[in-house]
Amino acid sequence: MTMTHGESRPPRVRRRLSDEVRRAQIIEATVAVIAELGYENTSLARIAERAEVSKGLVSHHFTDKDRLMEAVARATLVTLRQGLVDALVLTDPVPEVMRAAIHRAADLGVTHHPELTALRQISTNLRAADGTPRLGLSDYYEETYQGQQALFHRGQEEGSLRDFDARVMAITYQGAIDTMLTYLHEHPETDVHQYADALADLLITAIRRSPTAA
């Protein structure tokens, strides 16, 4: 219908977003700003501008920059872990799942570059008052360790993996992946799939059950 002269437009109804959606919006904006400008140049004002909200709204959901960065680190790790898991066929034999997971992790620098950059910078820069890292390994990885332990236990039950301490292996496995990601970041000329294959061969050979084992 065409509006005639003098008629006013009806007021636009603004849909109020839930707190959960707003927090996710702010976290997504924070990741983008850190990836683009770096941790030190990331401010609540710049995050608010990217998220298209007021700085006061950012402060309403996250009382200060440190609290926001802590939330971003936790949420980003979940995003990375879920993106990796979603790409796997978890019903495959465990050694095959491991190899696919290592290759998927090696690709994170391409598939999830902003998230990986943000997580790396937060891990390096977010500090407690005494200068120690504000988030430790348990803050980042406990859920990851538990998922890996469950995978290793399944491999032992199906007979593809030998007997070993699944908790120790989960920590070792994740440490190897973190080292791989750091090396690939510092050496972008590296063939990521060649690295991933070499790492997978090393880890799987170490824990695979010998065909001659009873």
Side-chain angles (χ1 to χ4, degrees), residues 39-40 64-71 73 118-137 139-140:
Y39 185 92
E40 293 298 334
D64 56 35
K65 182 178 177 179
D66 283 356
R67 294 288 182 90
L68 172 57
M69 292 302 165
E70 185 174 330
L119 185 59
R120 183 180 292 115
Q121 293 210 19
I122 293 171
S123 301
T124 301
N125 291 282
L126 185 60
R127 300 280 165 168
D130 62 0
T132 59
R134 181 158 173 158
L135 294 174
L137 287 178
D139 296 290
Y140 284 110

Side-chain angles (χ1 to χ4, degrees), residues 34 46 50 64 74 135 142-143 167 190 199 208:
I34 294 174
R46 282 175 167 154
R50 179 62 64 94
D64 56 35
R74 295 180 188 277
L135 294 174
E142 186 52 42
E143 190 172 345
R167 175 73 177 188
T190 303
L199 180 59
R208 189 192 293 271

